[in-house]
Amino acid sequence: MAPRKHVTLTLDQKIEIIKLMENGQNYGMIAEKYGIGKSTVGDIKKNKEKIMKFVSTTERGPGTRKTLKEPENLILKSALFIWFMQQQRRHIPISGEIICEKARLFHRKITKQEDGFTASRDWLDKFKHRHGIRRLKITGEKLSCDEASIEPFRNELLRVKNENNLDLEQIYNADESGLFWRMLPEHTLTSSHEKNAPGRKMIKARITFMPCADASGTHKLPLLVIGTAQKPRAFKSVNLPVYYRGQKKCLGHFFLFLDWFQKQFVPVVREHLLNVNLPPKALLLLDNCPGHPSAEELRSDDGNIFAMFLPPNTTALIQPMDQNVIQNIKLNYRKSLLVNVLADPVHGENLIDALKAINLKDAIQEICTNKISDSQAQEWACRGADEDLANHEILTDDQILQIAAKEDIDDEDESGSISISKVSPSEAVNALNTVLQWAEDENMDSTDILLDTYHILLNDKVAHKLGGKGDTE
């Protein structure tokens, strides 16, 4: 019978084995499934608490790790991770350089020494990998929002809704956003030996689009699209499913929005409400952009269709269209753009020519294919402030070190066994000299003793690989 191939299990696989054992699975079946020995399954069960506790300290779980190897300075590792999580809850931007500098500060506090720890790039990579830390781009304006004004607006919105007896199908929201419809992504994949990725001059062809839908998600108006040309040549003999307007400068946005409200929003909404047997009354929620007309101007002739503005600095929290609706439209368009560029036969020769072959008509048609889903149209974000920070005490560096030191002591107490220190080379040499001296005193051949010891160790090693026990007799 051929010897079994050595298998190194990941922590994820070890957790799976622990769950199988908890469900009463037979050791032999588990060993056969993962290609390991029964003794290995027993070792995993013996170290169950240690494995589960180690995995619980990482943000992304077991991942692909295979060992429970800890860093040399456990107090430093624990303190730095506690500090990192505290800064994350406070929404403070953290970079790799900041983590390294904080690690050096903690090391000086722990060891009372100025030198001896450099916090190198390799150390930082291992720390991030151990705790599942990754790099993200800061997006949005959520942290700059005025959360105190959200609750009063909620009450006012509820009052207006009840006063006018409005249903969800009679409450609309619209929000503008810009789109560079010929711009390629800023990131790319390269081979490992590439030091940089050369770029091209960006084509900054831009349009403004505005989705609008009701709170029930049953009625979506055609997109308002604003370009630089009044009558683009690509639109000749084409009936596009958008409400297009052109302007060369942004100063005319006020009149374009008022034109859209009077000629598009009011008649389309009124017709829809009559078709679904609802009173022709509607409320349009908008952000307080300076380019918008006033609430008095955004009102139908009969006063039944009117607008209401969100409080300043609250768009990122309670603007419905800002809750991934606009972002999904952009992401889907960018995906379609790349697919079209790669499918164009011109792309094989010149990427710029492939981009220029895409005109405004193509871009608008791609945007219109990415319709707002019912779930997206119903994503109202009036959930209040982030309460996570309020539930945590802000700790000082000394308090963090005290907690980390206490956790290190608790880990030693819970292990229930004496830690075995690594034998140094000098200690090994002294032990060997002692054995040889004993052999000479007993008139024994020291060479035979060394050969016997070698064969015993060799048998134990082979037996361990086969999942059995060595012959130490």
Side-chain angles (χ1 to χ4, degrees):
M1 182 177 177
R4 185 180 63 249
K5 185 178 179 181
H6 178 71
V7 176
T8 303
L9 299 174
T10 64
L11 292 182
D12 196 13
Q13 291 174 319
K14 292 179 182 179
I15 291 178
E16 291 178 1
I17 292 175
I18 291 173
K19 292 180 180 178
L20 291 176
M21 288 189 289
E22 291 176 347
N23 293 332
Q25 188 104 14
N26 182 272
Y27 279 28
M29 296 178 63
I30 296 176
E32 183 178 357
K33 178 180 179 180
Y34 289 91
I36 57 178
K38 293 183 181 180
S39 60
T40 305
V41 179
D43 292 339
I44 294 174
K45 182 179 180 181
K46 187 187 304 181
N47 297 321
K48 171 185 172 182
E49 294 184 2
K50 188 176 181 181
I51 294 173
M52 299 302 292
K53 183 173 182 180
F54 181 87
V55 171
S56 66
T57 60
T58 60
E59 283 293 289
R60 62 178 179 181
T64 58
R65 288 179 62 90
K66 296 182 178 181
T67 64
L68 303 179
K69 184 179 179 181
E70 292 281 4
E72 295 181 0
N73 195 331
L74 289 177
I75 299 179
L76 172 62
K77 183 267 297 185
S78 300
L80 189 61
F81 185 64
I82 294 173
W83 172 84
F84 171 79
M85 294 302 299
Q86 178 171 278
Q87 304 308 307
Q88 191 177 37
R89 288 195 299 267
R90 296 171 65 189
H91 304 294
I92 297 178
I94 299 295
S95 65
E97 291 76 10
I98 294 177
I99 291 179
C100 291
E101 186 58 36
K102 196 66 181 182
R104 299 184 191 102
L105 175 62
F106 278 142
H107 183 268
R108 289 194 293 268
K109 284 180 173 289
I110 294 171
T111 62
K112 309 299 181 182
Q113 298 178 359
E114 293 294 327
D115 301 324
F117 179 69
T118 58
S120 63
R121 176 62 61 180
D122 181 62
W123 172 89
L124 176 63
D125 292 339
K126 291 179 179 178
F127 177 80
K128 293 193 297 184
H129 178 73
R130 181 180 295 111
H131 295 289
I133 298 173
R134 59 175 180 160
R135 185 171 178 263
L136 287 179
K137 182 180 179 180
I138 299 175
T139 59
E141 302 174 353
K142 181 179 179 180
L143 302 181
S144 300
C145 291
D146 183 11
E147 298 174 354
S149 61
I150 294 177
E151 193 61 31
F153 174 77
R154 272 178 166 175
N155 298 331
E156 178 64 16
L157 178 60
L158 184 61
R159 183 192 67 79
V160 173
K161 178 179 178 293
N162 295 334
E163 186 179 283
N164 293 273
N165 195 22
L166 298 176
D167 190 72
L168 288 180
E169 288 191 59
Q170 297 170 288
I171 301 177
Y172 289 77
N173 175 245
D175 190 26
E176 307 97 325
S177 183
L179 175 67
F180 293 95
W181 52 278
R182 278 180 175 170
M183 185 176 292
L184 293 175
E186 297 178 351
H187 300 84
T188 185
L189 299 178
T190 63
S191 59
S192 58
H193 66 274
E194 294 286 345
K195 296 183 178 180
N196 54 46
R200 295 178 173 86
K201 184 178 180 180
M202 294 183 295
I203 304 177
K204 298 181 180 180
R206 184 181 187 273
I207 59 172
T208 300
F209 70 95
M210 184 178 72
C212 180
D214 63 5
S216 67
T218 58
H219 185 210
K220 284 87 97 173
L221 277 74
L223 289 175
L224 168 64
V225 178
I226 303 175
T228 56
Q230 294 287 343
K231 296 181 180 180
R233 287 179 292 178
F235 289 2
K236 187 176 181 181
S237 303
V238 175
N239 186 20
L240 293 175
V242 298
Y243 189 76
Y244 180 84
R245 287 294 180 266
Q247 66 168 2
K248 292 186 177 181
K249 297 182 180 180
C250 61
L251 298 177
H253 182 74
F254 174 93
F255 301 102
L256 290 179
F257 194 93
L258 187 60
D259 173 80
W260 170 84
F261 180 82
Q262 295 174 348
K263 297 181 181 180
Q264 178 74 7
F265 180 76
V266 172
V268 172
V269 169
R270 183 179 285 141
E271 180 183 359
H272 168 74
L273 295 177
L274 292 175
N275 291 336
V276 295
N277 298 322
L278 286 174
K281 297 192 297 183
L283 169 64
L284 176 62
L285 292 176
L286 300 168
D287 59 21
N288 63 335
C289 173
H292 290 161
S294 63
E296 291 76 16
E297 294 172 298
L298 295 176
R299 184 178 291 269
S300 62
D301 296 336
D302 56 8
N304 289 331
I305 301 178
F306 56 97
M308 183 177 178
F309 292 99
L310 300 173
N313 300 323
T314 58
T315 297
L317 289 178
I318 62 175
Q319 170 75 278
M321 288 298 169
D322 206 38
Q323 311 306 315
N324 292 333
V325 176
I326 293 176
Q327 181 184 13
N328 287 338
I329 294 176
K330 290 183 176 182
L331 291 177
N332 290 332
Y333 172 78
R334 182 59 58 85
K335 178 181 177 180
S336 300
L337 173 65
L338 295 177
V339 170
N340 291 334
V341 168
L342 293 175
D344 194 323
V346 181
H347 171 258
E349 301 177 2
N350 194 315
L351 178 61
I352 299 299
D353 291 342
L355 288 175
K356 290 182 177 180
I358 300 174
N359 55 38
L360 185 56
K361 179 196 69 175
D362 300 329
I364 291 178
Q365 287 177 337
E366 289 294 340
I367 295 174
C368 292
T369 58
N370 302 316
K371 297 180 180 179
I372 307 172
S373 65
D374 292 348
S375 59
Q376 290 173 342
Q378 297 180 49
E379 287 190 26
W380 296 79
C382 301
R383 292 174 297 184
D386 185 7
E387 299 177 357
D388 183 57
L389 181 58
N391 297 329
H392 295 84
E393 178 186 0
I394 304 302
L395 304 176
T396 64
D397 289 350
D398 292 335
Q399 291 173 327
I400 291 176
L401 289 174
Q402 290 176 3
I403 294 175
K406 185 177 183 302
E407 289 180 353
D408 185 46
I409 295 174
D410 293 341
D411 290 341
E412 293 179 359
D413 294 339
E414 292 175 1
S415 63
S417 61
I418 302 175
S419 60
I420 302 175
S421 59
K422 186 177 181 180
V423 179
S424 64
S426 59
E427 292 174 338
V429 171
N430 293 334
L432 180 60
N433 290 332
T434 302
V435 172
L436 295 177
Q437 183 63 43
W438 173 80
E440 292 179 1
D441 295 341
E442 297 294 330
N443 296 321
M444 298 178 64
D445 190 352
S446 59
T447 304
D448 294 338
I449 293 178
L450 291 177
L451 289 175
D452 290 342
T453 304
Y454 171 76
H455 287 303
I456 291 174
L457 294 176
L458 182 61
N459 290 336
D460 283 345
K461 185 175 181 181
V462 173
H464 178 71
K465 287 187 175 181
L466 295 176
K469 296 182 179 179
D471 183 13
T472 57
E473 297 179 357

